[in-house]
Every structure is written in C-alpha cells, then in structure tokens.
Amino acid sequence: MTTANNTSQLDQWLNRDYEHGFSTAIESDTLPCGLNDAVIRQISAKKNEPDFMLQWRLKAFAHWQTLKEPQWATVRHPVIDYQAISYYSAPKFKEAPKSLDEVDPELLRTYEKLGISLKEQEILSGVAVDAVFDSVSVATTFKDKLAKLGIVFCSFSEAVQEHPDLVRQYLGSVVSYKDNFFASLNSAVFTDGSFVYIPKGVRCPMELSTYFRINAVATGQFERTLIIADEGASVSYLEGCTAPMRDENQLHAAVVELVALQDAKIKYSTVQNWYPGDKEGRGGIYNFVTKRGVCRGARSKISWTQVETGSAITWKYPSVILQGDDTVGEFYSVALTNHYQQADTGTKMIHLGKNTKSTVISKGIAAGHGHNAYRGLIKVMPRAEGARNYTQCDSLLLGDQCAAHTFPYIEARNASAQIEHEATTSRISDDQLFYCQQRGINPEDAVSMIVNGFCKAVFKELPMEFAVEAQKLLGVSLEGCVG
Amino acid sequence: MATKTLTGLDRLLNDYKPTIYPQLNKMQSDALLQLKEKGLPSLRVEDWKYTSIEAILNQEFHISKKNSLPSFSEADFLFSHFKGPRLVFINGQFSPDHSKLDSFEKGLRFKTLHQALEHSSESFKKYFGKIAKPISTSLLPLNTAMMQDGYCLEVAPNTILEQPIQVIYIQTADQPLALYPRNMIILGENSQARMIEHSWGYENQHFVCAVTEIVLEAGAQLKHYKIQQEAKTAYHLAGIYVEQQGDSQFISQAINLGAVLSRQDIEVDLAASGAHCTLNGLYVLDGHQHHDTHSRIDHRLPHGTSREYYKGILKESSRAVFNGKVIVHPKAIKTDAEQYNKNLLLSNDAEVDTKPQLEIFVDDVKCAHGATVGQLDPEALFFLRSRGLDEQMAKTLLIDGFMADIFDAMQWPEIEAILKTLLVIPHSHPGPFII
C-alpha cells in the first residue's frame, strides 16, 4: 500500500458527513433574542424560582457585564454577539408528561435515531436517563428506584423547587459566578441541567446519565449540573451529547460542579459529539464549558473521563481541587479534531491536601485542518506534603494541515512533591505501518490498531455503556480509512 | 534626578542619549516607541507571568562612566590558563589592558560595538539588529534603546578556530549601575568556533540587560558557554537571539548561579533545512534567588533537529521558572525536537514553575517533551547511608549525579572541572555555591 493510497483513504474518512445531523420539528417556547436584567427575571419567573436564585443570577449578570471574553485560548472564531442569542427555549407540551407514554412521540423518535431510545434503555439497559431536550428536562426514568435509596436525581429546576436548601448550599461553591466569562454567563442565564445528591454511605446502584441535545435554531444552551456525593457515597455519571446539523454557530456554555465529601467517589464520563461544522468549517457548536470538582473530604476521589469528537470549538478544562488529605484526582481524555474543528482542552489539578495524587492522560488526534491543544495546570501548594502527579499528553497528527499544541503549566511549591510530565507528538510512522503490513495486517487494520492503541489508556476508563459508544464514534471517524 | 512621579521605565530611560550612529537612528526610535506604547512587561504578560521586574523598576541606577579601573591579576580570571583571545569588559567598558588581544587566530576579527558601528563590515550591516525579532517579549527594546558597548566577532568562512574565545564581564562599581551590553557574533560558512562568556561582579545591585545576536551561516558550528555568576544582589536579564542557516549547528550551555533576579531569553530560529541546535542549562539557586529561562525554537524548514535539556537545583526560598517553546512551522517536515526540564526541590519554601510547550503545525514530525519536579530519592539516600556515608556526603553524591549529564553533555573536561569548583569551593567573589 502506497502513501498516496493511504492519503486517499484518510481523506475518505475525513470527509464523512455528520451522522447525527437532523432536526426535530417541535414547537418551542422561546424568548426573543437579547440579554438584560428583564430577560433574567423572565427566565427565573418562568422557572418559578425562589428569590435567592434570582438574586444570584442578577449578581452573576452584573459581574458578567464587567468581564471581557477571554482571548488566551488558541481558538479562532468570529465575534459572538451575545445579544443575538435567545436565552430560553423550552419544548412546548400540551401538559406536563407523567410518563414516557405522554412524551411527544416526535421527540422520542429523535432519541431513537440517535440510538438511545428511552424506553429501550429503561427496560433493557437499566440506566436512568434524565434527557435534556434543549433546555428543559422531558423525561426522567428510574426515579422511584433511586428515591428508595434517598438518591436525588432530577432536573435542576426540579431540584430548585424540591431541594432548595441543598441547591443553596452547594450552587456556586465550586465554580463561583465570578469564575470566568462563560461561567458568569451561565450562572446568569442557565435554564436547566441535572442535579444529583447521593446521601451518606450510599453507593448508587446504576450509572446515571443525561443526554443533551441542542435543537432549536439560534438558541444558546446553558446547562448547569451539580453532583454532590455525601460522606462515603459513590456515583458514576454519564453525559452524552449529539446535536443536529445547523448552519449558524451555536453557543453552549455549560457549568458542571462536583462535590465529593469524605470518602466519596465521583466518576464523571462524557462523550461529546455535537455538530462540528461542515468540511469548510461553517457552522458547528461553540462549546465553552467550565467543569470542576472539589474533593472536599479526606480520601475522596473525582475522576473525569471525556471523549471529545464534536463541536466546532471545544474550550474545556475539567479540573479537580484536591482539598482533603489523601484525595485522588484523575483526568482521562481523547479529543479528536477534524476539518476545521478546534479544541483547547486539558485539566487543572490543584493539590492542597497532604498525600494528594493526580493522574492526567490526554490523547489528542488532529486531522484535516483541525487544531488540537492540551492546556493543563498542575499546582502543588506549600502545604501539600507528598503530592504526586503523573501527566502524559500525546498527540497524533493525521494530515499535513493540522496542528497540535501542548501548554502544560507546572507550579510546585512543596519539596516533597513529585511531578512528572511527558508528552509526545507524532504521526503514524511509515515504520509502524510497514511493521504491521510485514506481518500480514492490511494498512486499514494497521491504522485502526494504532489509533485504538493510542487511545486505549482512556477508553478503558470509560464505563461499559460509554466505551461502546466511544469506540463507535471513533470507529465512524476512522471508517474508510480502516476497513 | 528621579522624582516620585517618574515611573520605573522613565527612570531607566532618563539616561537615554540620542545615538551618533545614523544606522541606529531608526532602530532606537522604534524601540523607544515600543517602550512608550507597551511599557516594560508586567506579570499580566503571559511570558512574564512568574517573573516580576518590579524590584528593578523601584531601584535607581547610574550609567557607567569612564574612570580608573581596578587591577586584576591573572588568577582573578576563571579561565586564565586557557590559550586564545580574551575580551574583558569592566562596568560595561571594554578594557584593552585586561584583554588578551595578541592571540587572535587568522580568520577571526574583533571590534567593539562602537568600532563596528563606525566602520561596519558588509555582514555586520546585513545582520545587526535584524536577528533579534521585535515580536519577542523580552527586554530587547530596552537594550536597543539604551545600548552601550559590546563586542562584535566575525569568523571568516571555512575558518576553524583552535582556541576558545573568552568574554568576561566584571561589575566593580561601588554604585548600582545599569548596563546594556550589545553583542554580535557572525560565523561565516563552514566555520567553527567555541566561546565562553563569564559575568560576575562585586556585591552591588547592578542591573545587566544584555543582548547578543548570533548568526550561523550555512554549515557553521558554534559552541557557546555562558556562566552567569553575578553578585547575589544583582539583576541579570539577558537575551540571546540566534539565526541558523542550512546545516549549521548551535550548541549552548548556560550555567546560572548568581544574581537575585536573573532571566535568560534564548530564541533560536532554524531558518533553513538541516540545522541543529542544542540548548542545555543548569541553574543552582539558594536564598531568595529567582531565575527564569525562556527559550523559543522555531523550526521553519525540513530536517531540523533540536535538543533542549535544562536542570535546576533549588534550595531555601529560591524560585525557578522554565518556559520552553518549540514551534514547528507548516513547512518543517521531518523535524525532530526534544525538550526536557528537570528540577530538584530541596526546600519547602522553594518554588518551581515550569512549562514545556509545543506548537506543531505539520504532521510529519517527531516531538517530545517532559518536565519533572522532585526531591532526592529517600531510598537512594538510605542506600548510601547504610554503606557508611554521612547524610551530607550522601546528598552531595546524589546531587552530583543529578548534575552529571549536564556536565557530560559539555564534552569539555576543563570547563567541567572549573564549574565543579565553582559549585563546591567559594570563588574570590560572592556567587559560589556549596551544596
């Protein structure tokens, strides 16, 4: 097999169309474009929120107005007009659905096309799904089963109504409304999201999951997720994203907050496959996400796993603040950028407690004109005796127009800290391909093997349900290139 | 002179005098304009995130004037037994008395900066001021605006110099000086040279802001050794800017021991194919010393290779910053780049901020980087102590081992021996380091 041939096969998969590109015709209850105090009051009123929420939103908005959009990331995009976005869009129902049977069948078909039929999932897979369609949660399953254990798993708006004390205590305690430009914006206008509370000593018996969809034209989606694992609790949470094909750019600025108290464990996995834009880089989702967890109690653990294949722009740094002693933070990531996609992603590990440990494994794959950047911070504070970090960030380059960058910041202020950072950048070498072919493996399989091997360290961290989807996603991307 | 209303920059620029050399006119007015517009870098500038020059801005400096110079004996020079030419600058002024100018080999031409500006050679005209890029975030504009004397060395094509060239800077003044040496090195095609630069000074708060421009024409080779051993109250912020043409080789070894605040900017432009550069360095800090290494390597055309290896040892409340940038441009296929920074933290009050950075715009490359921060391995210490070594001895052995590969890479035993004495036995002036 010649290089020319390989290139054409590469091109084939690089040029594949977005598989999940379709949109659902559902009437939306949408606010007009624009953002001001009145809009925020309206959002809050529509959601029937208590006053503390409104005040918090207004404070966030006031702060946001003093901020400028950050320019430090290696992403390029036209200026976003925040006044041209509608900040609220809810699917309209004749009445609130009480069970899946009452859910708009059009909506259910959308999920089916994505291969996540709620019904099927409810019956067969045993996964509780809190499906978010645009901004309002439309169906929540398995609630009863979880309720028996005292687990709260509901939409954010429901949590505000039902558990205002928990929300008040933890909202903004990890990502404050002053945190950054996009987090402030989110705090002001977020419409819905998921809320999870695992009580003391409870191990959540199933994987919790949310599927996000962006549907209505020109609506930004501002999700807010808050997960609290009380002492000794453990939970695994899955987040998956697919979005229909759209021409104009859509903005998504989510915030995810995780709180792990003493001995608690939280595992947060993401597969993100939003519309990446077409081959010329038109359209696609702008994904500006703030994700952060805090290991507040001793011996707690937070683990982020992400597979990022979608979005025109991905800007996200899932982080862990290792506050308690003996806490553990992990970050496993595969980010694929193709065509004109840009990803600036990585993690922050802030070591505060004694004997805290963190592991960072990041795999970036850049193809076509894709730009892929790893940006990470490992910070060891003076009191973090015995802190330990291992970071590995590798990039694989496919095609001569793509770019891969690495910006690892390491700040060590404790002599007993042990920090290691390793990174490599390369393409699939002719030697590797030759070696495989020499042993009777055809080039397509060889490329597949090498790419899969490249990402293996991350995939093995995904829960079963997601590992399949992630491999499928990458497989789709590799099709044509690998037989 | 200075009043409270003057900013630090104004105070530094107070001593600015318009140049008498017409070819400097535009360069200096541009630099002044840049300084007025942007000012000097603050912590808000990404490349200065960890290094503050506030202390320099709050200080008042004098400009060196010609006056009687102290006398030195041969023994005061680190490399007194080396044959070959020696250039000595005392308080920024070239001192022919202390220099050894009789041992210039054929093909090597030396001028002070003033001489070179007065009677410029063709290659000086071609390269001077063009190698250091104005996009650089270093203190380059400050040096350009204020430049004093310096050296200009030209090696004729196809010349292979046997003996190393020594350049010694000594700061002896009893009042704090601001020094702006400006140097130029041009190696003609297929020439080869070795250089040692050593700067040191008496206890005082001098501020050295040096810029050296280096051009390696096709096939040229330069080994550049720099030992910074200023008094531990001084400020030393230097920039080295290199342009490498086809198949040339640049090897830099930077040893940083002195100054309370030091920064080394080194920017290498591999402007043609097949060029190679090696940047190695060692910084050993204690007290409240702060050292910052900022390197940038631009791979512009195919088949370039670069190797970067910096190591640091930090004691007491010292702080080290490392930032290595490797940029592989779209045409630079078959690039092979490696970059490592390893740090030994020996105190809880010490701090390391390191950022090895890769920016790659083409697929057919091999790049790797790594960074580590750690302390002496307790098991290795235990092993040595169980064999009867006392703790101090055991630590010294391990630290020696940590530094060994930097010295090995120098491939010059005489220099290695001298450096080792610097690190262990006090020299006649402040700056020695005892582990």
Side-chain angles (χ1 to χ4, degrees), chain A residues 17-308:
Chain A
D17 284 333
Y18 182 66
E19 219 187 26
H20 293 149
F22 49 81
S23 72
T24 316
I26 287 184
E27 264 185 87
S28 286
D29 171 15
T30 303
L31 277 184
C33 295
L35 183 57
N36 50 45
D37 272 19
V39 168
I40 288 165
R41 281 173 201 282
Q42 234 169 327
I43 293 171
S44 193
K46 266 181 194 291
K47 310 203 68 74
N48 195 21
E49 287 177 349
D51 189 54
F52 81 87
M53 283 298 297
L54 175 63
Q55 294 313 321
W56 194 70
R57 285 174 184 276
L58 290 173
K59 268 192 286 181
F61 180 62
H63 183 70
W64 179 74
Q65 284 174 309
T66 66
L67 298 176
K68 278 196 190 124
E69 207 182 315
Q71 299 293 331
W72 45 261
T74 56
V75 296
R76 313 259 170 284
H77 56 79
V79 179
I80 300 169
D81 180 359
Y82 293 92
Q83 295 301 336
I85 296 168
S86 163
Y87 287 87
Y88 184 82
S89 152
K92 254 187 192 162
F93 304 109
K94 288 175 192 87
E95 55 189 49
K98 294 205 174 56
S99 73
L100 283 179
D101 306 332
E102 288 175 31
V103 171
D104 192 333
E106 183 82 9
L107 213 80
L108 291 180
R109 271 199 294 279
T110 312
Y111 288 126
E112 258 166 59
K113 276 192 238 171
L114 289 173
I116 51 153
S117 146
L118 289 180
K119 228 171 171 142
E120 213 180 327
Q121 291 217 355
E122 188 176 30
I123 299 161
L124 296 174
S125 61
V127 172
V129 174
D130 177 19
V132 176
F133 194 94
D134 275 353
S135 313
V136 169
S137 171
V138 288
T140 306
T141 47
F142 281 98
K143 232 172 164 174
D144 296 344
K145 203 170 165 187
L146 295 172
K148 274 183 198 137
L149 290 163
I151 295 173
V152 182
F153 176 38
C154 61
S155 72
F156 210 98
S157 16
E158 207 178 320
V160 170
Q161 306 299 331
E162 309 282 330
H163 308 280
D165 293 343
L166 279 175
V167 172
R168 194 173 192 158
Q169 188 183 346
Y170 289 106
L171 178 68
S173 70
V174 185
V175 179
S176 107
Y177 67 82
K178 288 182 174 172
D179 195 81
N180 67 63
F181 182 84
F182 297 108
S184 286
L185 179 63
N186 175 287
S187 304
V189 302
F190 77 94
T191 41
D192 215 336
S194 297
F195 178 87
V196 178
Y197 174 79
I198 315 286
K200 270 183 197 173
V202 172
R203 192 191 156 83
C204 184
M206 59 188 89
E207 314 264 0
L208 302 179
S209 100
T210 312
Y211 278 77
F212 293 92
R213 296 269 295 148
I214 296 179
N215 194 290
V217 184
T219 54
Q221 189 165 15
F222 301 92
E223 298 292 339
R224 186 128 195 149
T225 301
L226 176 55
I227 300 177
I228 303 142
D230 214 324
E231 288 174 21
S234 76
V235 61
S236 168
Y237 187 89
L238 320 181
E239 174 201 288
C241 315
T242 51
M245 195 178 263
R246 286 282 172 217
D247 265 335
E248 58 249 80
N249 293 307
Q250 291 181 307
L251 176 67
H252 184 98
V255 169
V256 177
E257 294 178 282
L258 310 183
V259 180
L261 300 182
Q262 195 173 314
D263 295 304
K265 284 191 177 67
I266 302 176
K267 185 178 176 69
Y268 194 105
S269 314
T270 310
V271 171
Q272 188 261 107
N273 185 29
W274 281 326
Y275 178 52
D278 67 8
K279 281 168 217 136
E280 272 73 48
R282 281 188 299 257
I285 306 293
Y286 289 180
N287 187 21
F288 300 104
V289 187
T290 308
K291 288 184 170 182
R292 191 176 306 146
V294 55
C295 287
R296 205 157 277 175
R299 296 173 299 280
S300 53
K301 174 177 174 181
I302 289 179
S303 171
W304 297 100
T305 310
Q306 59 173 24
V307 176
E308 304 279 330

Side-chain angles (χ1 to χ4, degrees), chain B residues 15-34:
Chain B
D15 297 308
Y16 170 75
K17 276 195 205 76
T19 176
I20 50 165
Y21 305 107
Q23 69 255 54
L24 281 183
N25 274 336
K26 179 148 169 42
M27 253 173 90
Q28 292 201 322
S29 57
D30 285 354
L32 279 174
L33 197 68
Q34 201 182 336

Side-chain angles (χ1 to χ4, degrees), chain B residues 225-266:
Chain B
Y225 297 77
K226 179 175 169 176
I227 301 159
Q228 185 271 105
Q229 204 191 6
E230 304 280 358
K232 285 189 185 174
T233 44
Y235 312 103
H236 183 104
L237 293 93
I240 295 178
Y241 306 86
V242 187
E243 182 184 298
Q244 287 190 248
Q245 296 171 4
D247 301 307
S248 61
Q249 280 195 35
F250 175 66
I251 293 163
S252 156
Q253 312 272 359
I255 310 293
N256 276 284
L257 307 172
V260 65
L261 170 63
S262 57
R263 169 154 165 147
Q264 180 68 58
D265 280 277
I266 182 158

Side-chain angles (χ1 to χ4, degrees), chain A residues 322-461:
Chain A
L322 299 155
Q323 192 180 346
D325 293 347
D326 304 296
T327 49
V328 178
E330 290 174 341
F331 174 75
Y332 301 97
S333 163
V334 168
L336 178 116
T337 53
N338 196 354
H339 302 311
Y340 285 86
Q341 273 178 279
Q342 309 171 55
D344 197 299
T345 181
T347 186
K348 284 183 183 180
M349 294 287 173
I350 316 289
H351 292 257
L352 297 169
K354 292 188 176 66
N355 299 318
T356 46
K357 291 187 172 56
S358 62
T359 308
V360 176
I361 310 276
S362 166
K363 306 281 181 180
I365 303 160
H369 291 83
H371 277 237
N372 209 324
Y374 169 84
R375 190 184 299 275
L377 168 69
I378 308 297
K379 190 168 191 163
V380 177
M381 300 305 278
R383 293 181 56 199
E385 284 296 323
R388 181 82 178 87
N389 163 266
Y390 174 73
T391 302
Q392 188 186 351
C393 53
D394 298 330
S395 308
L396 194 62
L397 297 154
L398 304 168
D400 54 7
Q401 305 289 317
C402 57
H405 312 306
T406 332
F407 306 89
Y409 292 74
I410 299 169
E411 304 181 7
R413 299 174 62 184
N414 185 297
S416 60
Q418 229 177 318
I419 303 173
E420 289 169 79
H421 174 96
E422 277 180 57
T424 60
T425 303
S426 61
R427 63 170 193 169
I428 297 175
S429 76
D430 297 340
D431 290 355
Q432 286 169 314
L433 278 179
F434 179 75
Y435 180 91
C436 292
Q437 286 178 65
Q438 203 189 25
R439 277 149 186 80
I441 301 164
N442 67 36
E444 296 94 272
D445 287 346
V447 171
S448 160
M449 265 172 64
I450 294 163
V451 172
N452 265 307
F454 180 73
C455 299
K456 199 174 163 188
V458 174
F459 284 160
K460 77 176 174 33
E461 295 299 324

